Amino acid sequence: QGNGTVARIVGKFDLSRLGPAGLSMGGVASGQFCVEDRRCLAGLNLDGIPQYGAMNDTPMPAPFLMVYSGRPGRAGASDIIYTRAASKYYRVDVAETLHLDFTDMNLWGGPLRQRGAYGKIDPARAADVTRTIVREFFGQEILKQPSALLSGKQPMTGVTVVEVKK
């Protein structure tokens, strides 16, 4: 029974149209994946810097979106690389966030909150902002559904979206 369910689910995957996303070094890896694998139709990095690897010197045919937290010294750190490499590059800055605000860990609180590991953004809002950015970007770039957020027609408070022109 379990194997039949797994097979049905796996059978629905379209491995010819991939969109990797990741947080921190996972986001950096998604950029590298898009350079190396032509099945990548779009890539997304949640606050992962510095970008390294072949992407630094290799054009990537896919669009890319970088989300920066409000952590000092982060904003724009990989813009020059993504602007040069990606076919289209979006930069998103999310105010009042720190690195871990793009995870579900901020919903837990506890010692990390007491140590200042999270920004001032409400945890539920951080989760909503993260979901919306990811959904809107991949919806637009892979499913070809125009994004109100990325086009600026439906902005979100505290979220700045810029399509960086080459």
Side-chain angles (χ1 to χ4, degrees):
Q1 184 180 21
N3 288 338
T5 301
V6 170
R8 284 195 308 276
I9 292 170
V10 170
K12 298 200 180 283
F13 289 166
D14 180 354
L15 298 179
S16 68
R17 302 181 319 144
L18 300 178
L23 169 78
S24 197
M25 294 314 291
V28 171
S30 73
Q32 187 63 34
F33 178 86
C34 288
V35 167
E36 294 179 11
D37 195 313
R38 294 301 176 218
R39 295 175 299 167
C40 173
L41 297 185
L44 189 143
N45 181 340
L46 293 166
D47 205 42
I49 66 167
Q51 181 65 50
Y52 63 89
M55 178 183 252
N56 290 343
D57 301 311
T58 308
M60 170 179 59
F64 203 79
L65 184 141
M66 173 70 198
V67 178
Y68 290 105
S69 70
R71 206 163 73 168
R74 305 293 280 180
S78 292
D79 284 358
I80 192 165
I81 296 165
Y82 297 135
T83 301
R84 185 176 60 234
S87 65
K88 182 181 352 175
Y89 170 55
Y90 290 95
R91 172 185 169 166
V92 178
D93 295 285
V94 184
E96 299 187 340
T97 57
L98 294 179
H99 194 62
L100 293 179
D101 286 311
F102 301 111
T103 72
D104 60 357
M105 290 171 56
N106 66 350
L107 298 167
W108 304 343
L112 288 175
R113 184 159 317 283
Q114 295 163 358
R115 293 184 183 144
Y118 307 109
K120 295 177 183 174
I121 192 169
D122 176 76
R125 171 137 174 76
D128 181 55
V129 166
T130 303
R131 276 193 308 268
T132 300
I133 292 167
V134 172
R135 182 182 61 241
E136 292 281 317
F137 178 66
F138 287 121
Q140 175 176 291
E141 299 302 332
I142 294 180
L143 301 177
K144 304 303 179 200
Q145 302 166 343
S147 167
L149 176 66
L150 297 179
S151 69
K153 293 178 183 172
Q154 188 174 359
M156 293 181 79
T157 303
V159 177
T160 304
V161 178
V162 177
E163 182 180 348
V164 180
K165 305 293 183 186
K166 292 188 179 216

